[in-house]
Amino acid sequence: MNREESLERRRAAAAAAWNLDHEIVLIGAGEPVPIPGRGDQTYPFRAHSEYFYLAGHERPGSVLAFDPGQGWTDFVPEVTEKEKIWAGELTAAGTPLCELEPWLRARLGRTIALLGSAQPLLPAFPAYDQKLGERLREGLLQVRRPKEEAELVLLRQAARATAAGFAALRGLIRPGVTERQLQIELEAEFFRAGATRAAYDTIVGSGPNAAVFHVSPSARVLQAGELVLVDAGAECDNYACDVTRTYPVDGGFSAEQRDLYAIVLEAERAAIDRCRAGTEWKEIHLGAARQMAAGLVDFGLLRGDPHALVEQGACALFFPHGIGHMVGLGVRDASGRLPGREPDRRPGLENLRVDLPLAAGYVMTIEPGLYFVPALLQDAGRREKFRAQVDWERADRLLGMGGVRIEDNVLVTAGAPLVLTADIPKDL
């Protein structure tokens, strides 16, 4: 399927999901965002995912319009002389943006829904229908969640580039190197292997930094006996890979590190196997939490029944985030709840980004982890609440370890799940 055929299929699916009669839809690509205090510099432009999915390009300021009686029109700003001077030749295929106003005048009085990066459009359309926009956004999310073959091709390319980066990384990890040095070599290999860009800000956390979920790589030097957690991914034409591996700095785990790593690894393998069409995502999360709680009981850190430890929130002291999220067009792609579901506030579930039954074509991250986070473990209220469930002396001794996370990208199929990142080693 070529690009034009793919866009035609996506647009047809969106139109069918919306089932509009007389309403019209405007989907904004968005505008570059200025960096405060930096003169004329802007953040790197990324078109809104809803626009890119249906338009296939990232021209700033563009608006994709849909009239159910006449189809789709992509209104695109002309390339200015200034842009040609500063950025070189840019493509601007589509209908000139100046024709959007007469297009709208011809449809005066019809209900308008705004999607994409609609903020720049709002002053001109004070009477847009917000509830209709919310309904259409949900319909488009449902269309976007299952990945078509053209998208899977890009996700596999991103996975291969990511695997190349992690393969180069393993030989560089040793005492004396810095987190920043690892980031540089990892990302360089992504680009050598065909990546368009890094999918998100690379995370390299050594020692206690491994317990900071979104830590930025720093000049911190890796020490013998420590763990280093690396969460990074390559991106190919806006389709992202998201992988985490945790390594012993000097090539071998201590006994405690090995035991904790094994708990996370087995929980990840079991959660991956549960990624079957029809399975509720929250049950995959709860299954992983119960399995890790049981592992921590055997390890001697938690006391009690694993199911009760999860329900009470004791397990969330060490596994405080969700099991994963959707990945695809961007690293946080098309997640959300099944329409009509209320947020689940049970311990350990409040941070889930997905509350849906899985379906064939979904691509999910599976990323269990166990951490020793001072902000959680040194909180007096939590220590009192869970005084009988936690061996606090041992928890205090492990505070400097940081944590262990293992993450892969998994394609849900009609049968067994397929791990797109299986070429990145994680065995003990």
Side-chain angles (χ1 to χ4, degrees), residues 303 309 312-314 317-318 375-393 395-396:
R303 307 185 187 101
L309 291 168
Q312 296 161 0
L317 292 171
F318 305 98
L376 296 179
L377 301 183
Q378 293 179 338
D379 177 73
R382 291 184 176 91
R383 292 177 82 99
E384 174 60 24
K385 180 178 179 180
F386 298 113
R387 63 185 184 277
Q389 289 91 346
V390 178
D391 182 340
W392 287 107
E393 289 186 7
D396 289 341

Side-chain angles (χ1 to χ4, degrees), residues 182-202:
L182 296 181
Q183 176 201 11
I184 290 168
E185 300 305 323
L186 176 76
E187 292 182 359
E189 199 61 33
F190 287 170
F191 289 110
R192 293 188 188 104
T196 309
R197 57 173 70 87
Y200 50 95
D201 291 343
T202 294

